[in-house]
């Protein structure tokens, strides 16, 4: 596929998600909600469809240097200069931690926010003239699409080594910042863990008829279908989609609606990312009749996708860009993602929510997450089987 075709595909995905949130490939609802309020002054309307925010050390609350900061992480005021980030993660989600980086490093950070597909398409279209230093994506597939066009630079080995190999580019072109596990959320008054079949592919069994929920328009679901295509082939993926459809799975607009339907007993189980239930549990402040089942056996259902970052080959602020990524992998930032967004921290030694299956116990499928870039073929398959 030519770069023009890739741009057209990404732009189409972004345009669709902007025009209709239900078609949110590479973006949209998959930004897990954060309880942290943005602290920077924001300016809307820079660029097509995006928004921008600037964080400076003067505007943000200074952050203390965290204990155990990885070697090379910025100390307060030691870097300076400026940095431009194209972010597919929402302002609500990451602006607070960007502010903390700005305060700790003295770097003025300009962030252009938008859908991940929209930001990837912008980088590809801008090419050598892009003002972006960093692409911060919520989906590894979008990073893979940009990397394949030769627009991401190899990261330092000591930065890459902070994260397990399965959560970073095999070529060292991007690194995961936080993890998001696929899960089967189920009603504990109707099911127990032992009722969940050994493979996500087994939910096509008629025993699950009229008991399931899914969100075919959701970006994380589409990435999961892409993973099935990559791991097992298009025929298996199509048969799975048709099987779940024929089992009468209820279609929901998003993951939150699926989790709520499980809690309310409207359905027995649904396919989601893990943090939607974690957020509802936190908001409820008590127990709810639902749990996540996370596959641990290398099954396609055991996919753990990442939000990650890469540095553009055209970056004019390399030192600041590297400092930014180091900070996002610092204990302070990793704890932020664990506690505020309920995602998995990817750096060893940072505690994971005790209610989650530790990453060390999850055998993720053997897949290069960069290969999740082929969303257009997944969307075509979803259309073919009548789900879009």
């Amino acid at each position: 596929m030519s770069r023009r075709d890739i741009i057209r595909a990404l732009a189409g995905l972004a345009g669709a998600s902007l025009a209709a949130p239900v078609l949110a490939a590479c973006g949209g609802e998959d930004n897990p909600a954060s309880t942290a309020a943005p602290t920077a002054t924001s300016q809307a309307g820079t660029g097509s469809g995006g928004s921008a925010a600037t964080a400076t050390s003067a505007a943000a609350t200074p952050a203390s240097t965290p204990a155990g900061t990885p070697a090379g992480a910025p100390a307060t005021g030691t870097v300076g200069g400026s940095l431009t980030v194209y972010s597919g993660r929402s302002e609500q989600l990451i602006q607070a931690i960007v502010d903390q980086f700005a305060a700790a490093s003295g770097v003025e950070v300009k962030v252009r926010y938008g859908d991940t597909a929209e930001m990837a398409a912008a980088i590809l279209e801008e090419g050598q003239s892009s003002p972006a230093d960093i692409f911060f994506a919520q989906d590894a597939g979008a990073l893979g699409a940009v990397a394949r066009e030769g627009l991401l630079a190899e990261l330092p080995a000591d930065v890459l080594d902070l994260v397990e190999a399965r959560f970073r580019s095999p070529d060292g072109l991007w690194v995961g910042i936080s993890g998001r596990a696929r899960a089967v959320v189920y009603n504990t008054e109707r099911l127990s863990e032992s009722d969940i079949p050994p493979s996500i592919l087994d939910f096509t069994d008629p025993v699950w008829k009229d008991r399931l929920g899914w969100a075919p328009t959701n970006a994380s679901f589409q990435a999961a279908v892409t993973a099935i295509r990559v791991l097992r082939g298009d025929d298996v993926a199509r048969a799975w989609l048709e099987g779940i459809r024929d089992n009468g799975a209820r279609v929901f607009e998003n993951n939150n609606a699926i989790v709520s339907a499980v809690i309310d007993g409207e359905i027995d189980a649904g396919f989601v990312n893990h943090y939607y239930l974690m957020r509802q549990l936190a908001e409820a402040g008590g127990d709810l009749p639902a749990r996540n089942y996370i596959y641990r056996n290398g099954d396609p259902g055991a996919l753990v996708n990442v939000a990650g970052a890469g540095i553009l080959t055209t970056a004019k602020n390399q030192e600041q860009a590297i400092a930014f990524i180091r900070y996002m992998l610092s204990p302070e930032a990793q704890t932020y993602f664990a506690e505020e967004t309920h995602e998995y921290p990817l750096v060893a030694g940072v505690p994971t929510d005790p209610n989650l299956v530790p990453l060390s116990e999850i055998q993720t499928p053997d897949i290069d997450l960069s290969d999740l870039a082929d969303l257009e073929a997944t969307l075509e398959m979803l259309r073919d089987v009548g789900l879009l």
Side-chain angles (χ1 to χ4, degrees):
M1 181 180 288
S2 68
R3 178 177 293 186
R4 176 171 296 181
D5 291 336
I6 295 172
I7 293 171
R8 186 180 297 118
L10 287 167
L13 295 174
S17 69
L18 291 170
V22 294
L23 187 56
C26 276
E29 186 237 355
D30 270 344
N31 271 321
S34 168
T35 55
T39 56
T41 301
S42 300
Q43 299 173 319
T46 59
S48 58
S51 63
T54 300
T56 67
S57 56
T61 301
S64 59
T65 302
T69 299
T76 300
T78 59
V79 180
S82 63
L83 179 71
T84 298
V85 178
Y86 278 20
S87 177
R89 311 223 73 186
S90 73
E91 182 175 0
Q92 179 188 14
L93 179 66
I94 70 163
Q95 189 62 51
I97 196 67
V98 170
D99 289 341
Q100 291 182 30
F101 164 73
S105 65
V107 175
E108 180 182 1
V109 185
K110 301 174 183 176
V111 186
R112 177 179 172 183
Y113 289 102
D115 181 274
T116 284
E118 176 192 5
M119 294 295 99
I123 289 170
L124 293 177
E125 190 158 21
E126 292 166 355
Q128 298 296 312
S129 61
S130 177
D133 296 305
I134 282 184
F135 179 30
F136 193 173
Q138 73 165 38
D139 180 273
L143 288 163
V146 175
R148 286 173 185 171
E149 292 304 302
L151 295 177
L152 292 184
E154 187 170 348
L155 296 171
D158 66 319
V159 171
L160 294 167
D161 288 345
L162 292 169
V163 174
E164 286 184 66
R166 57 180 171 161
F167 301 129
R168 53 181 163 89
S169 160
D171 300 318
L173 301 177
W174 55 265
V175 64
I177 302 295
S178 55
R180 302 176 298 159
R182 291 297 293 168
V184 177
V185 60
Y186 64 93
N187 185 293
T188 55
E189 294 175 350
R190 298 187 178 183
L191 297 173
S192 64
E193 183 171 313
S194 61
D195 293 317
I196 305 299
S199 171
I200 194 79
L201 302 178
D202 295 333
F203 277 102
T204 55
D205 190 307
V207 72
W208 292 101
K209 189 168 183 59
D210 298 329
R211 301 171 68 188
L212 300 172
W214 60 355
T217 57
N218 177 259
S220 59
F221 175 81
Q222 292 165 0
V225 173
T226 303
I228 295 173
R229 291 179 46 237
V230 172
L231 291 163
R232 301 294 178 86
D234 282 3
D235 289 346
V236 172
R238 181 183 294 271
W240 184 74
L241 290 170
E242 292 173 342
I244 301 297
R245 178 200 63 192
D246 294 345
N247 257 349
R250 282 185 56 184
V251 174
F252 291 86
E253 182 176 345
N254 55 49
N255 283 319
N256 268 324
I258 293 173
V259 172
S260 295
V262 168
I263 292 170
D264 294 340
E266 297 175 17
I267 54 175
D268 289 356
F271 309 125
V272 297
N273 274 357
H274 79 271
Y275 42 78
Y276 291 97
L277 175 61
M278 307 307 293
R279 182 174 65 192
Q280 293 209 26
L281 287 169
E283 290 174 352
D287 200 13
L288 294 171
R291 288 289 182 274
N292 281 329
Y293 181 84
I294 296 177
Y295 283 99
R296 313 177 192 186
N297 57 359
D299 185 76
L303 179 70
V304 177
N305 205 340
V306 300
I311 299 175
L312 277 292
T313 55
T314 54
K316 299 176 179 61
N317 303 293
Q318 291 275 347
E319 179 185 5
Q320 291 78 9
I322 292 173
F324 180 86
I325 292 180
R326 288 187 194 280
Y327 191 84
M328 291 300 139
L329 295 173
S330 70
E332 184 174 38
Q334 290 288 291
T335 299
Y336 170 88
F337 288 113
E339 294 181 352
E340 301 293 343
T341 71
H342 306 288
E343 293 174 287
Y344 277 98
L346 296 182
V347 173
V350 178
T352 297
D353 187 319
N355 294 311
L356 290 175
V357 177
L359 282 178
S360 61
E361 296 180 11
I362 302 176
Q363 180 188 346
T364 50
D366 185 15
I367 188 172
D368 175 359
L369 293 176
S370 301
D371 291 339
L372 299 180
D374 188 19
L375 273 172
E376 181 59 26
T378 296
L379 293 176
E380 184 63 32
M381 182 178 291
L382 289 167
R383 285 190 285 266
D384 282 349
V385 299
L387 296 174
L388 293 181

